[in-house]
Amino acid sequence: MKLSGLLLIALFFSAKTFAQQTRQTLDFDKGWRFNLGEVADAEKPATSDTKWRSLNLPHDWSVEGKFSKDNPATPEGGALPGGIGWYRKSFTVPASSKGKLVYIDFDGVYQKSKVWINGHLLGFRPNGYISFRYELTPYLNFGGNNVIAVKVDNSVQPNSRWYSGSGIYRNVWLVTTAKTAINHWGTFVTTTDVSNASAKVNIKVSVKNGAPSAALVVKTTLYDALGKAVAGGGAIPSKTQLQDTVFETSTTLAVKNPTLWSVDKPYLYKAVTQVLSGKTVIDEYTTPVGIRYFNFDLDKGFSLNGKAMKILGVCDHHDLGSLGAAINTRALERQLQILKAMGCNGIRTSHNPPAPELLDLCDKMGFIVMDEAFDCWEWEKVKYDYHLYFKEWHKRDLEDQVLRDRNHPSVMIWSIGNEIPQQHDTTALRIAPELSAIVHSLDTTRPITAANNNPDKNNKIISSGAIDLVGYNYHEGEYAAFHDRYPGKKFIATETTSGLETRGFYEMPSDSIRVWPEKWDKPFEREGNNVSAYDNVRPPWGSTHEMTWKVMKKYDFLSGMFIWTGFDYLGEPTPYSWPSRSSYFGIVDLAGFPKDVYYMYQSEWTNKPVLHIFPHWNWTPGKMVDVWAYYNSADEVELFLNGKSLGTKKKTGDDLHIMWRVKYEPGTLKAVSRKDGKVVLTKLIHTAGEPARIELSADRKLIKADGKDLSFITVKILDKDGNVVPDADNLVDFKISGPAFVASVDNGDPVTHDSFKVSYRKAFHGLALAIVQAKEKAGAVTFTATSKGLPAATITLNAK
Ligand code: GAL
């Protein structure tokens, strides 16, 4: 038994080793040269680039620039500069690779990229959010030097309604295969007849035959998460293939007692497909597999593996706050961890295809993804957006997106567009069905939606019949009547809410909802461009968090929602404009610090006991202050001020919070939640004194010495007793020694114009953030924060 197991493992690894010699996927991010601005003949290898800056990808040059309202992106686009940038990389390909095929894969270049290899133009891709591949083989010097040149043109702006970033901002890969190999995105895995007892895993494989004539065999083995083969091995002999033809084979593997993929237990299998010529493995390709089934029911809403649940999702843009658009897996993972801890289980990739790493993480961490293609079709939203390219490129871009993303178990909805201006024009009757047909030609296992901001009867996207789920953006007052309007149709809230908040800023009174700008008593102007964090400010088209969630909870047929937004993002600083340069919509601020409403969701969406009270307790004596509590797992909450009870309150009806109006006096506010008379949680807020010290805490003290890993260091300004000083805005300087550097800094303030790429930050409502990035060297990293009048604080990290 033992021996044969070992033998199997040995065989598996030897096959792998062999296959690695045929397909090799190299991280191609290192050792690039960059020049900001046009350079004549930069595509020609002979042109010197020695004076250009050296850098590693992913790279976003916009985030390195200066904020200005005069930048063509406008504050809506993040107020950072665009421009033209050139990237070049010299590299060698071993002579032994001759006879193989070599490709370069770009996960995303913003935007209008042109790529040359050794002076040959490979192509142009206008869409800055799409992944694409070029074949290099015919132009390479095998055994010699090669130069790849990429021109990125983000000079003509605005071209996105949010911050796009500029440059090769996602990963790049160099892929080498044998002449006969599985195509790019060449597998398609679906799961059918899924139950706890059994499941079928169907695998379609597309192979390109490069040999003169070959009888090839394609076989796929399914491995569980521990690497144990659980199904497959069955070989599918193909007929003799003609040279340079593509052929498809498919097979179905039966899996007994499968572990199903769910948001709570995102279990992944791995399908390893081999192409053999005779007994020789000439290609090997791995596809992650999640076995699950889901359904959108007309009346009962969404279910996963037969279990009814709601999609509790958020919309997010692709930027990573102060890191800009440059993709970093750890930064994405941190965002998802913060959202997961809130109880969130869904992500909408608004309004474009995401970085592939986001989908990998959603597969691994258990999020349901609505994968969106476009923010506009043929009509413009902003002057230079994708409408200029839609006619020529939509088919290619949409096909590439579906081919790339259709194996992710997390992806459960395709969206063919957000708030498409043509939704009330008859042209939508042509375009929507065409887009749906493109998606369905590549995947029929997921429903298609479109996010409609006017989901009324005149909406031509809906009336075209092209979408499977009717997507509502906002209009939550009309949810209840959905089936009267659209009998027999299924519902999804593609975008909701748009609540506005600044972390740590509070205005009294808190118990009336304020609509920006119409019903606001004064123009929307507050010192420092702040918005009160009581979840009571909304734009005219949106609603507060509580308003939406109350409706969503009520009806089963409301299958799910995607809140605008999980995180604050660069650009779209509604309800302000300049000097604000980033958004107020996030449940979490740009630095990753939760706003209070985060805990409303946590109290509703998780079983974890929650008691969150706010605001801070530093006011002018005598002021009437509204104290809110979000709680769960308890019958009631009692509030005390300086030991004196202010009364016990409980949520009634559809309440999501309770409130006390308290005459302020300094001291200690204490909240106690109780169930059946027993204390569940106690929370204290003390009046803070003067800033006395800095506290540093790292989300991870141990990081990988891989040049990419990050440690997020939270900086708190505390008084002598350890309370966060709620209005502290001390300027803090950072110093670092050891094999790491400060990648960026932030504090969550949408108005700060200091660069993110410096080593100092003012605290904002007592907090700041420094993001430390590993170098490729192991060792201890000492991070020190200093601020005038306060003792220095130090934290030690370890890069391994
Ligand atoms: C929606 C739009 C989003 C964002 C949001 C702000 O209408 O789809 O992209 O602009 O409004 O509230």
Side-chain angles (χ1 to χ4, degrees):
M1 230 350 227
K2 225 173 174 181
L3 198 70
S4 68
L6 278 177
L7 201 69
L8 264 178
I9 293 173
L11 277 175
F12 175 61
F13 281 107
S14 64
K16 249 190 113 137
T17 319
F18 187 82
Q20 269 166 6
Q21 292 165 8
T22 56
R23 173 179 293 263
Q24 191 186 45
T25 302
L26 284 181
D27 177 334
F28 212 51
D29 285 346
K30 270 194 236 156
W32 288 74
R33 294 270 183 176
F34 172 68
N35 185 76
L36 183 56
E38 185 57 293
V39 181
D41 297 330
E43 75 280 10
K44 295 190 179 138
T47 305
S48 168
D49 59 16
T50 49
K51 295 219 171 89
W52 297 17
R53 172 176 158 198
S54 294
L55 51 73
N56 295 336
L57 305 175
H59 173 238
D60 169 10
W61 79 70
S62 291
V63 79
E64 297 169 351
K66 282 202 171 77
F67 290 105
S68 161
K69 68 176 180 356
D70 300 324
N71 279 324
T74 76
E76 294 293 298
L80 285 163
I84 289 175
W86 277 95
Y87 295 84
R88 300 215 327 183
K89 173 167 166 139
S90 297
F91 63 104
T92 52
V93 179
S96 59
S97 290
K98 205 166 172 91
K100 291 184 180 166
L101 304 179
V102 184
Y103 304 90
I104 188 160
D105 289 356
F106 292 90
D107 287 348
V109 182
Y110 204 91
Q111 64 160 340
K112 295 200 284 186
S113 63
K114 278 188 182 169
V115 182
W116 291 262
I117 178 74
N118 297 332
H120 290 272
L121 179 64
L122 293 168
F124 167 67
R125 278 312 271 248
N127 187 334
Y129 300 110
I130 203 75
S131 299
F132 53 92
R133 153 176 286 192
Y134 294 116
E135 187 178 349
L136 306 180
T137 326
Y139 315 107
L140 284 177
N141 298 317
F142 289 91
N145 194 50
N146 298 279
V147 177
I148 191 128
V150 182
K151 179 180 178 179
V152 185
D153 184 352
N154 195 16
S155 58
V156 184
Q157 298 196 39
N159 54 47
S160 277
R161 292 184 302 111
W162 51 86
Y163 175 74
S164 64
S166 304
I168 309 180
Y169 71 108
R170 292 182 183 161
N171 291 311
V172 182
W173 309 91
L174 193 76
V175 179
T176 307
T177 71
K179 277 206 167 145
T180 295
I182 294 168
N183 262 322
H184 192 212
W185 304 319
T187 59
F188 183 30
V189 177
T190 56
T191 57
T192 47
D193 302 297
V194 178
S195 72
N196 287 321
S198 62
K200 286 183 184 153
V201 175
N202 316 295
I203 301 168
K204 257 199 219 161
V205 184
S206 146
V207 181
K208 190 170 171 207
N209 177 39
S213 151
L216 299 168
V217 168
V218 180
K219 67 177 192 183
T220 299
T221 310
L222 192 73
Y223 295 89
D224 70 11
L226 296 172
K228 192 175 138 221
V230 292
I236 305 169
S238 77
K239 292 194 201 95
T240 301
Q241 302 298 329
L242 296 176
Q243 185 162 10
D244 295 331
T245 55
V246 171
F247 67 95
E248 274 199 0
T249 67
S250 58
T251 187
T252 294
L253 306 177
V255 185
K256 279 209 186 104
N257 304 318
T259 305
L260 304 191
W261 186 98
S262 69
V263 293
D264 298 324
K265 191 176 180 191
Y267 190 91
L268 291 176
Y269 292 83
K270 192 164 84 174
V272 178
T273 305
Q274 294 183 325
V275 180
L276 295 99
S277 174
K279 289 208 165 126
T280 313
V281 178
I282 54 175
D283 194 15
E284 188 176 289
Y285 191 97
T286 300
T287 314
V289 179
I291 301 178
R292 86 294 187 257
Y293 65 102
F294 64 90
N295 186 40
F296 287 87
D297 184 85
L298 200 59
D299 301 312
K300 294 192 209 126
F302 180 76
S303 63
L304 181 58
N305 302 326
K307 221 174 102 193
M309 61 180 280
K310 271 195 203 296
I311 301 175
L312 308 172
V314 298
C315 306
D316 267 332
H317 278 310
H318 65 298
D319 74 65
L320 294 167
S322 57
L323 295 167
I327 179 75
N328 179 287
T329 306
R330 172 55 201 155
L332 267 177
E333 184 188 48
R334 171 184 179 251
Q335 286 195 335
L336 292 176
Q337 283 169 341
I338 292 168
L339 291 170
K340 192 89 188 173
M342 180 178 100
C344 169
N345 66 19
I347 300 288
R348 174 192 185 202
T349 69
S350 38
H351 303 296
N352 45 259
E357 289 78 6
L358 176 77
L359 299 180
D360 293 341
L361 286 165
C362 288
D363 290 348
K364 283 185 201 146
M365 296 172 72
F367 285 88
I368 294 163
V369 175
M370 171 171 144
D371 196 348
E372 191 151 80
F374 306 115
D375 192 47
C376 63
W377 295 345
E378 292 168 350
W379 294 5
E380 81 175 51
K381 274 186 168 171
V382 290
K383 196 159 180 198
Y384 302 107
D385 64 19
Y386 186 73
H387 83 279
L388 296 172
Y389 300 99
F390 183 86
K391 273 196 183 134
E392 192 183 340
W393 284 95
H394 69 272
K395 184 165 186 289
R396 178 73 195 275
D397 285 340
L398 187 56
E399 281 175 355
D400 285 354
Q401 177 179 4
V402 175
L403 283 171
R404 191 196 69 169
D405 295 349
R406 64 185 178 168
N407 287 325
H408 288 279
S410 58
V411 174
M412 296 196 199
I413 307 169
W414 300 111
S415 165
I416 54 171
N418 174 58
E419 300 192 348
I420 298 300
Q422 283 159 281
Q423 68 196 285
H424 288 293
D425 188 76
T426 50
T427 47
L429 296 171
R430 163 177 57 86
I431 300 171
E434 193 212 330
L435 298 180
S436 288
I438 293 170
V439 176
H440 278 151
S441 72
L442 299 168
D443 179 25
T444 53
T445 70
R446 297 165 174 98
I448 296 173
T449 192
N452 301 288
N453 50 328
N454 284 312
D456 54 42
K457 280 300 233 185
N458 296 323
N459 187 304
K460 301 287 186 287
I461 297 180
I462 301 173
S463 65
S464 76
I467 53 174
D468 307 307
L469 302 175
V470 176
Y472 271 50
N473 277 15
Y474 308 99
H475 297 269
E476 84 285 341
E478 296 164 27
Y479 290 177
F482 174 75
H483 278 147
D484 300 336
R485 188 184 277 175
Y486 293 115
K489 297 270 184 204
K490 298 171 182 178
F491 174 94
I492 181 84
T494 35
E495 187 174 315
T496 71
T497 319
S498 277
L500 299 158
E501 289 100 22
T502 302
R503 174 185 56 79
F505 177 79
Y506 307 93
E507 276 186 326
M508 310 301 153
S510 66
D511 53 353
S512 58
I513 302 232
R514 297 162 179 192
V515 183
W516 165 82
E518 292 131 43
K519 293 181 200 148
W520 189 265
D521 49 353
K522 295 184 199 111
F524 205 97
E525 274 173 27
R526 292 291 179 278
E527 202 186 326
N529 278 18
N530 287 307
V531 186
S532 189
Y534 278 111
D535 183 25
N536 63 346
V537 184
R538 66 177 182 90
W541 60 90
S543 54
T544 66
H545 294 273
E546 290 198 3
M547 281 165 72
T548 314
W549 178 233
K550 280 180 185 174
V551 183
M552 282 303 300
K553 275 175 87 162
K554 230 162 136 180
Y555 305 101
D556 287 344
F557 76 90
L558 302 175
S559 55
M561 69 195 283
F562 294 92
I563 300 161
W564 193 265
T565 49
F567 277 71
D568 278 342
Y569 50 94
L570 291 165
E572 210 176 34
T574 311
Y576 300 106
S577 189
W578 189 258
S580 299
R581 47 60 174 164
S582 55
S583 84
Y584 293 77
F585 292 116
I587 298 167
V588 181
D589 78 10
L590 199 69
F593 303 133
K595 302 177 189 175
D596 295 293
V597 76
Y598 177 94
Y599 301 96
M600 186 280 282
Y601 288 113
Q602 199 175 50
S603 72
E604 287 284 301
W605 289 1
T606 75
N607 294 323
K608 177 186 144 127
V610 172
L611 173 62
H612 178 75
I613 55 168
F614 60 102
H616 57 76
W617 210 239
N618 279 53
W619 301 94
T620 315
K623 185 177 171 81
M624 298 309 291
V625 178
D626 291 349
V627 178
W628 283 37
Y630 298 127
Y631 72 94
N632 64 11
S633 317
D635 310 318
E636 58 182 33
V637 180
E638 188 169 5
L639 189 70
F640 301 85
L641 176 57
N642 295 330
K644 206 178 115 214
S645 175
L646 301 176
T648 298
K649 303 223 173 195
K650 55 173 74 175
K651 294 187 265 191
T652 57
D654 63 358
D655 286 348
L656 295 170
H657 73 269
I658 45 176
M659 184 191 104
W660 294 260
R661 185 152 290 161
V662 181
K663 190 167 179 185
Y664 175 75
E665 61 180 60
T668 298
L669 205 56
K670 174 169 129 180
V672 181
S673 66
R674 292 190 202 97
K675 185 164 180 72
D676 301 327
K678 284 203 192 104
V679 173
V680 180
L681 288 170
T682 302
K683 280 283 154 79
L684 300 172
I685 303 181
H686 305 284
T687 301
E690 291 300 305
R693 65 186 172 95
I694 304 167
E695 182 189 80
L696 301 177
S697 56
D699 68 334
R700 284 150 76 246
K701 283 193 168 177
L702 183 66
I703 52 175
K704 283 191 225 102
D706 62 359
K708 297 193 173 182
D709 204 5
L710 304 174
S711 181
F712 289 79
I713 299 183
T714 298
V715 181
K716 288 185 179 164
I717 306 295
L718 306 181
D719 72 1
K720 64 176 179 21
D721 299 319
N723 302 303
V724 173
V725 181
D727 57 352
D729 59 359
N730 305 53
L731 177 66
V732 188
D733 282 297
F734 307 120
K735 278 209 179 65
I736 192 161
S737 64
F741 62 99
V742 176
S744 68
V745 296
D746 194 9
N747 59 16
D749 179 4
V751 188
T752 307
H753 293 163
D754 288 337
S755 168
F756 293 125
K757 296 282 182 184
V758 291
S759 57
Y760 57 87
R761 205 51 156 194
K762 272 188 165 186
F764 181 61
H765 295 295
L767 305 184
L769 176 81
I771 306 178
V772 168
Q773 185 164 348
K775 294 184 181 166
E776 284 182 88
K777 203 175 149 211
V781 176
T782 308
F783 178 88
T784 304
T786 54
S787 185
K788 208 169 150 203
L790 305 178
T794 292
I795 193 165
T796 306
L797 313 173
N798 205 349
K800 249 191 167 160

